[in-house]
Amino acid sequence: VAISVSIVSLVTYLYRESEIKNEVTLKANEFIQRESESIKTFMENKSKAVAMVIDIYNKNQYGVGDHNIANMVLGANTRGVDNLQVTFESGESYASVNFPGWENNQPPAGYSPKNLPWYAQGRNANGVIYTDPYTIQLTNKLSISALGPIENGVVLADIGLDIIEQTIERTNSYPGAVEFLVTEDSTVLASSSEFVKSGDKLSRHSELNRLYSQAVKQNKASGEHSFNGTDNMFFSKEIQ
């Protein structure tokens, strides 16, 4: 009888374990679907904002002059970006932020953003593109830039990723859950983990490198893994 009870208990346990995993899988997939759509919408809105500024500049054929400062400040405030900047083929540049060393929102003599790598990227782009993530020295904030060509220069918008970080941190409401937003080269753009921070690379963490390798190869992935000595389940969703 004792053996029979043990077997029944084991079957019940295994059934319950499977039931719990199925429930967790369903809720986790629903969660990452919502999160990925939210982040995708955020980035698409920033791209559209830059595209609108580019369209305005091309239609009105704006050239150099202080009117660009007002255009950039207004554009940054209405489009919700940290900095909006236009740089012309002639070398003049105007930003919505008056960076250290700049005067009246323009770079000092002898310095032109036109000589920076992103300018060439923007001139050669077919529409709005994104830079790799970087840290803005002025704010120490991890950011990316959306940029694209105008007839006689490039429009660039600096987009702080702290808003996405705040979105990612909502996973803290799920006990034991962590979430990462990662680029194709494994750079962490946002994280709710105390062990992995924004700007890190998942490929440098031995326990997470395998997960990254699985996730980057497919639209959706899931499975089980060990992290910091604890067994976990993972779920990933590509944001296109």
Side-chain angles (χ1 to χ4, degrees):
V1 175
I3 294 176
S4 296
V5 171
S6 297
I7 292 173
V8 170
S9 299
L10 177 60
V11 170
T12 302
Y13 169 77
L14 292 175
Y15 175 78
R16 185 59 182 155
E17 181 186 35
S18 176
E19 190 179 54
I20 292 172
K21 282 187 176 181
N22 289 338
E23 184 177 348
V24 169
T25 298
L26 177 63
K27 290 187 178 299
N29 280 321
E30 289 175 348
F31 179 79
I32 65 168
Q33 182 66 37
R34 289 195 305 270
E35 292 292 283
S36 62
E37 289 176 356
S38 175
I39 294 169
K40 181 179 180 180
T41 298
F42 173 83
M43 299 307 297
E44 286 179 343
N45 287 340
K46 299 307 177 187
S47 293
K48 289 177 182 177
V50 175
M52 288 177 65
V53 174
I54 289 172
D55 187 54
I56 290 171
Y57 262 73
N58 285 333
K59 283 184 176 178
N60 292 281
Q61 296 185 328
Y62 288 132
V64 299
D66 288 349
H67 59 275
N68 289 290
I69 300 171
N71 289 348
M72 295 299 103
V73 172
L74 177 62
N77 290 336
T78 56
R79 308 304 176 191
V81 297
D82 290 351
N83 174 55
L84 189 63
Q85 186 171 333
V86 59
T87 301
F88 294 97
E89 276 289 286
S90 55
E92 286 87 347
S93 187
Y94 307 85
S96 61
V97 173
N98 197 30
F99 294 106
W102 289 41
E103 185 176 347
N104 193 28
N105 297 59
Q106 298 172 65
Y111 171 79
S112 174
K114 180 186 175 183
N115 299 323
L116 298 177
W118 61 257
Y119 184 86
Q121 284 182 278
R123 288 301 289 163
N124 294 323
N126 182 21
V128 177
I129 61 172
Y130 286 99
T131 64
D132 291 331
Y134 61 93
T135 299
I136 296 179
Q137 292 182 348
L138 180 64
T139 61
N140 199 34
K141 183 188 296 185
L142 187 67
S143 305
I144 58 175
S145 292
L147 63 158
I150 57 176
E151 185 175 329
N152 54 347
V154 170
V155 169
L156 170 142
D158 294 324
I159 304 166
L161 298 176
D162 51 324
I163 295 177
I164 295 180
E165 187 90 43
Q166 293 167 15
T167 299
I168 293 292
E169 287 175 353
R170 290 188 306 204
T171 53
N172 291 334
S173 60
Y174 295 82
V178 295
E179 184 179 5
F180 308 110
L181 176 64
V182 187
T183 65
E184 288 185 352
D185 72 349
S186 87
T187 301
V188 178
L189 299 182
S191 167
S192 65
S193 169
E194 61 180 302
F195 303 105
V196 181
K197 300 301 182 182
S198 298
D200 290 349
K201 287 187 179 292
L202 284 190
S203 58
R204 294 175 182 166
H205 295 262
S206 58
E207 293 180 311
L208 295 174
N209 186 42
R210 182 178 62 84
L211 299 185
Y212 158 72
S213 299
Q214 286 182 252
V216 78
K217 294 177 181 178
Q218 48 196 318
N219 179 260
K220 294 179 70 173
S222 62
E224 299 182 15
H225 74 106
S226 177
F227 182 56
N228 285 335
T230 304
D231 291 334
N232 299 274
M233 299 177 70
F234 81 92
F235 306 87
S236 69
K237 174 76 170 65
E238 181 184 21
I239 302 175
Q240 298 178 328

